[in-house]
Amino acid sequence: MNKKALIILLLSLVVNELYAQNQWAFKKDKIYTSWANDLNPSAPLPEYPRPQLVRDNNWKNLNGLWDYTITPKTEANPTRFEGKILVPFAVESALSGVKRTVGKDSTLWYRNNITIPAEMKGKQILLHFGAVDWQTEVFVNGKSVGTHEGGFDPFSFDITLFLNKKNNQEIKIRVWDPTEDGPQPRGKQVKRPRGIWYTPVTGIWQTVWLEALPGTYIVNTKQTPDIDTHTIKVAIALNKTSETDKVKVEVLDGANVITSEFLGTDGSATLKLTDEKLWSPSSPFLYDLRISLIRNNKTVDQVMSYFAMRKISMGKDENGIQRMLLNNKFLFQYGPLDQGWWPDGLYTPATEAAMKFDVDQLKAMGFNMIRKHIKVESARYYNYCDKMGMLIWQDMPSGDLGNSWNPNPGTVNNETEKNRSADSEAYYRKEWTAIMDDLHNFPSIVVWTPFNEAWGQFKTVEITEWTMKKDPSRLVNSASGGNFFNTGHFVDLHNYPQPAMPRPDLFGKDRILVLGEFGGLGLPVDGHTWQQKDNWGYQSFKTKEELFAKYALFIKRLEELIPLGLSAAVYTQTTDVEIETNGIMTYDRAIIKMPIPELRQIHTKLYK
């Protein structure tokens, strides 16, 4: 690039940045994280969004300022747009620059005019969405290209045939989200936030991007390790097949190819490893995968992925008590309940650094597990947990609440199950299937949790056994703290504030005993709360010293319960969230309420 061209490029970048800053400002009426100040509105969250299926140099990030408007639900097409919204932040969030609620009677619209880069032309163009809450319809140049229902799973549309021959392409997106007025999975969102229930999240909340692909391409992969047979099974899906095409799978340790195979007729390859390196919290080794679609000795498409050799299972100890095993050895799993909420972005952290901060701090504190509570994160979050060696228990986001709850494990009562409508049940099944499919390849995820505390719990045995059959490579916690049924791998007790455990003599022979929630010790920190008064915790303290003293007693009690049969515990919670002030960190992540070195010291004792 010559000097003149470089100057023009730099000036263009400066002008675009100034324009973005003038069109957008986040609302500072409540607390926010320091990363909000680092947010670049002309290129928010610029990182490649799909780390388990990577192609180089053929994608375009569409995050940034879009037009938006909110119209009555009955209005089919907006006649005007009200202003700018910063994608990918939900319209209710401060970082969106809008901070407005939508509700069941209104529709949120987005509009953006884009250009297709020259190097993408002549290829298949896919429009990807990381997540949009909840019902989405996408229009390209005035024509509907497809709809999607689901607030927590990625989706995409092939928009090739909808593109015009001009440089300018108009994208419109219609989103409808009824929050708790609908039966769809929604997690902690409510119209009127209070207690343990939080602000609604409507619309785009993960990265939007374009991808250019050849006519035949690799759609997805499915990696399933087996450390007992020293193999990794890789299944590949193509958008279309040809008898002359071959798919080659290579396993790499760093830059070295250690084994390779071609796909069989069943669309999968099973590769044998020798002296494999096992993945664990203390040694999170990841193998790379290179997958190539070959036609006439020429590579037509190629993706990079990765996997880990790790096993999660259950087995009896010397006393006949079922234990949770990692790589065939008992490892006590301990971590926080993690809501994944942010004061400025709600579901979406301001930057990649913000997302990493939570995981880094929890790792430094000596936790080896996170229970991701009725929310699904971006692919980059799980990828980072894979790299850091953080075990994940993944909840299904709840919805359609209202059934009764019997928190005492051991009492089977079919009357406690929710009688869902056909639509409600279909929404649950569709999204749980999509979530499990999308997250299958992340080795950090070791437990699936279909239900939490009877929140919409229905057909428990059927749903649990379907989940177990769909993914036999992981454990299934049927209903964390919810209504008990004789199914799944766990008996899970919720007990506040002090630690406790299910009775080993009643349950320990058949299922793993875990404490799915406890703690909730509160400490509001002046200047770092969502609201000035009426904050809440299960038990509140006035000083950090008092808080840590009580917490240390709880950890001592966990030490005593482990030999009796306890396999895991979950402390409530990582951060304060809105009016909840029972986090280890404040909601803005500015204050860590308990000393990290001391936390690590007492937590380390749990793993011995």
Side-chain angles (χ1 to χ4, degrees):
M1 182 180 294
N2 61 43
K3 186 175 182 181
K4 183 178 179 180
L6 179 60
I7 292 172
I8 292 173
L9 175 61
L10 292 174
L11 286 174
S12 174
L13 292 173
V14 170
V15 169
N16 287 338
E17 174 65 15
L18 290 174
Y19 172 79
Q21 292 287 1
N22 289 331
Q23 293 289 309
W24 165 89
F26 75 91
K27 311 293 184 179
K28 295 184 178 180
D29 58 326
K30 290 185 180 290
I31 58 172
Y32 55 91
T33 68
S34 62
W35 297 280
N37 297 318
D38 301 328
L39 177 60
N40 178 0
S42 64
L45 297 174
E47 295 82 10
Y48 188 85
R50 196 182 56 197
Q52 274 282 5
L53 195 72
V54 178
R55 293 183 179 92
D56 292 330
N57 303 320
N58 68 339
W59 74 289
K60 181 179 181 179
N61 194 316
L62 298 183
N63 292 344
L65 290 171
W66 291 48
D67 299 323
Y68 90 95
T69 191
I70 298 172
T71 67
K73 188 172 182 286
T74 54
E75 188 172 323
N77 194 24
T79 56
R80 67 179 185 88
F81 283 79
E82 301 175 60
K84 297 292 183 179
I85 184 170
L86 189 62
V87 169
F89 300 100
V91 67
E92 295 90 348
S93 73
L95 289 179
S96 73
V98 179
K99 203 173 184 182
R100 290 173 57 187
T101 56
V102 181
K104 67 179 178 64
D105 297 320
S106 299
T107 300
L108 171 63
W109 288 86
Y110 298 82
R111 182 180 65 187
N112 197 5
N113 292 311
I114 68 167
T115 59
I116 305 299
E119 59 271 20
M120 287 188 174
K121 292 180 179 178
K123 298 181 179 180
Q124 301 295 111
I125 305 298
L126 268 61
L127 176 60
H128 293 279
F129 298 85
V132 184
D133 197 347
W134 171 71
Q135 184 187 81
T136 307
E137 185 171 11
V138 177
F139 302 83
V140 175
N141 294 321
K143 296 181 179 180
S144 176
V145 302
T147 60
H148 178 265
E149 290 178 331
F152 301 93
D153 58 303
F155 60 98
S156 62
F157 299 109
D158 187 335
I159 63 172
T160 311
L161 298 179
F162 297 87
L163 300 174
N164 59 43
K165 294 182 179 180
K166 302 175 183 178
N167 287 331
N168 185 65
Q169 314 290 336
E170 183 195 62
I171 298 175
K172 279 186 180 179
I173 301 168
R174 179 193 62 81
V175 180
W176 177 66
D177 178 19
T179 313
E180 79 259 41
D181 288 324
Q184 81 288 349
R186 58 179 170 84
K188 290 261 184 142
Q189 305 174 52
V190 293
K191 293 180 295 183
R192 292 180 291 277
R194 62 201 179 274
I196 63 171
W197 307 100
Y198 315 139
T199 301
V201 171
T202 300
I204 298 168
W205 65 274
Q206 287 187 32
T207 292
V208 184
W209 55 294
L210 292 176
E211 184 177 30
L213 298 169
T216 304
Y217 59 87
I218 298 163
V219 176
N220 59 51
T221 70
K222 182 178 181 181
Q223 288 95 253
T224 307
D226 186 336
I227 70 168
D228 297 324
T229 61
H230 315 286
T231 59
I232 175 72
K233 182 177 181 180
V234 183
I236 311 293
L238 306 175
N239 69 320
K240 56 186 177 180
T241 58
S242 169
E243 292 183 359
T244 61
D245 291 345
K246 296 181 180 180
V247 178
K248 186 178 183 180
V249 181
E250 299 171 280
V251 175
L252 294 88
D253 181 346
N256 299 320
V257 176
I258 58 174
T259 185
S260 65
E261 292 285 348
F262 285 95
L263 288 197
T265 56
D266 64 347
S268 70
T270 300
L271 298 96
K272 190 85 172 180
L273 301 179
T274 57
D275 299 322
E276 71 267 36
K277 302 173 184 178
L278 300 183
W279 184 98
S280 70
S282 60
S283 181
F285 182 82
L286 300 173
Y287 289 93
D288 288 322
L289 277 174
R290 182 163 58 217
I291 302 163
S292 305
L293 174 61
I294 301 170
R295 179 180 299 157
N296 298 326
N297 296 319
K298 182 180 178 181
T299 299
V300 177
D301 187 27
Q302 187 175 89
V303 297
M304 294 298 298
S305 188
Y306 67 89
F307 69 93
M309 294 300 292
R310 70 101 184 90
K311 176 185 177 181
I312 188 72
S313 60
M314 61 186 287
K316 291 185 178 181
D317 65 14
E318 62 274 13
N319 297 317
I321 300 294
Q322 292 287 356
R323 293 290 191 175
M324 186 159 42
L325 309 178
L326 181 69
N327 300 332
N328 295 323
K329 297 179 181 179
F330 172 55
L331 172 67
F332 187 76
Q333 297 189 22
Y334 181 55
L337 192 76
D338 194 286
Q339 314 275 4
W341 283 71
W342 301 83
D344 37 30
L346 299 180
Y347 268 4
T348 312
T351 66
E352 175 102 339
M355 178 270 287
K356 291 180 176 179
F357 178 84
D358 278 7
V359 178
D360 288 342
Q361 296 308 305
L362 295 175
K363 189 77 175 179
M365 293 171 190
F367 293 107
N368 65 3
M369 175 264 282
I370 293 170
R371 180 183 168 201
K372 183 52 63 175
H373 190 42
I374 57 174
K375 183 205 174 188
V376 178
E377 295 289 355
S378 70
R380 293 193 66 86
Y381 177 90
Y382 298 103
N383 169 249
Y384 193 62
C385 290
D386 291 345
K387 293 175 179 177
M388 296 301 293
M390 184 64 81
L391 299 164
I392 300 291
W393 294 15
Q394 180 61 54
D395 288 6
M396 168 62 181
S398 57
D400 202 4
L401 280 61
N403 47 310
S404 60
W405 175 35
N406 180 358
N408 299 310
T411 304
V412 178
N413 184 356
N414 293 325
E415 295 178 359
T416 60
E417 293 209 291
K418 176 74 173 180
N419 183 19
R420 292 201 181 202
S421 67
D423 283 346
S424 172
E425 182 173 336
Y427 289 142
Y428 177 97
R429 291 179 184 272
K430 180 172 65 174
E431 190 137 15
W432 189 219
T433 300
I435 288 168
M436 290 183 66
D437 284 341
D438 184 58
L439 300 183
H440 178 88
N441 287 344
F442 296 104
S444 53
I445 299 175
V446 293
V447 173
W448 298 118
T449 304
F451 300 110
N452 174 74
E453 289 188 355
W455 295 353
Q457 185 177 347
F458 76 103
K459 294 185 178 178
T460 306
V461 174
E462 180 184 338
I463 295 294
T464 300
E465 293 183 2
W466 175 88
T467 303
M468 294 167 67
K469 183 178 180 180
K470 180 173 176 61
D471 188 3
S473 71
R474 290 181 170 93
L475 298 175
V476 177
N477 189 2
S478 176
S480 182
N483 296 320
F484 178 77
F485 288 82
N486 290 311
T487 187
H489 296 110
F490 295 83
V491 175
D492 182 322
L493 173 68
H494 290 186
N495 197 77
Y496 285 100
Q498 66 277 355
M501 67 179 288
R503 287 179 56 181
D505 58 323
L506 290 181
F507 309 111
K509 303 297 182 184
D510 299 317
R511 291 189 174 84
I512 301 164
L513 308 176
V514 301
L515 175 59
E517 293 181 26
F518 81 102
L521 303 179
L523 177 66
V525 179
D526 189 44
H528 299 276
T529 56
W530 184 249
Q531 59 189 31
Q532 292 301 311
K533 59 180 182 178
D534 299 326
N535 293 295
W536 180 85
Y538 285 93
Q539 181 179 355
S540 293
F541 298 85
K542 294 182 178 180
T543 69
K544 292 181 178 181
E545 291 75 18
E546 291 175 348
L547 174 67
F548 181 70
K550 175 63 76 170
Y551 181 83
L553 288 176
F554 284 179
I555 299 303
K556 182 65 177 175
R557 179 56 181 155
L558 287 181
E559 287 186 67
E560 297 167 353
L561 293 175
I562 294 170
L564 302 180
L566 189 67
S567 275
V570 177
Y571 177 79
T572 302
Q573 59 187 341
T574 300
T575 71
D576 299 344
V577 185
E578 299 199 356
I579 73 168
E580 285 189 77
T581 54
N582 49 19
I584 300 170
M585 298 183 282
T586 55
Y587 196 18
D588 57 9
R589 279 70 167 175
I591 304 295
I592 298 175
K593 302 179 188 179
M594 292 186 279
I596 291 178
E598 284 84 347
L599 284 173
R600 186 174 188 85
Q601 183 179 23
I602 62 175
H603 291 163
T604 300
K605 297 177 182 178
L606 300 175
Y607 312 129
K608 294 180 178 179

